[in-house]
Amino acid sequence: MTLAVLSVASEAVPLVKTGGLADVVGALPQALARAGGEVRLLLPGLPAIVDAVLHQKTVAELGPMFGAGRVTLRLGTMPYSHVPTYVIDAPYLYRRGGSPYQASDGSEWSDNLQRFALLGWAGAHLAAAELDPDWAPEILHAHDW
């Protein structure tokens, strides 16, 4: 029996890494897939992620939410591992310099609550089979945020 798992995180090796979380998120889905799981990732549309996830196709146009004027959910594949990966493209919230959590000067983004609330919201609604008509997970694995 194949188990469908959605892994939700703010970073993943080899695209974005600030600590050990990225290592786990980069390796665990691959290991679960090798064990027979049907695994997908959900990541925020940070520049390094939007630019690297391959063959992205729009799954849902979500419109304005969480302070962003435009939010689009896309599905592509991670480079190297080819794990199916959803990307939340919300340029106002995610396309900026610095780290996923802080500006280049080390200060936290003032809208981190909105940025990661959107990530959690999208994960919950994917898990409830509300965003992708072709796939729904049996397990939602939410990392960190």
Side-chain angles (χ1 to χ4, degrees):
M1 177 176 171
T2 300
L3 193 59
V5 178
L6 176 63
S7 185
V8 180
S10 55
E11 56 186 87
V13 163
L15 307 182
V16 176
K17 177 178 168 50
T18 65
L21 171 65
D23 295 318
V24 171
V25 176
L28 183 58
Q30 293 178 64
L32 292 173
R34 281 193 301 273
E38 183 183 346
V39 183
R40 293 187 182 189
L41 289 172
L42 172 64
L43 300 171
L46 303 169
I49 292 169
V50 169
D51 294 343
V53 172
L54 306 170
H55 315 296
Q56 295 178 46
K57 292 187 169 58
T58 298
V59 173
E61 292 286 349
L62 303 175
M65 56 183 11
F66 293 92
R70 177 180 64 82
V71 179
T72 304
L73 182 66
R74 297 199 177 105
L75 178 61
T77 56
M78 281 289 276
Y80 310 110
S81 71
H82 302 290
V83 170
T85 302
Y86 292 101
V87 176
I88 304 168
D89 187 17
Y92 180 77
L93 294 174
Y94 298 130
R95 289 203 194 167
R96 46 180 86 161
S99 82
Y101 320 109
Q102 299 172 327
S104 299
D105 67 3
S107 63
E108 289 207 11
W109 297 111
S110 63
D111 59 353
N112 272 346
L113 292 175
Q114 290 85 359
R115 298 170 76 229
F116 295 104
L118 175 56
L119 179 63
W121 182 94
H125 287 270
L126 274 167
E130 294 181 343
L131 298 181
D132 186 343
D134 298 325
W135 188 80
E138 298 165 90
I139 294 176
L140 172 62
H141 188 169
H143 299 268
D144 209 12
W145 282 91

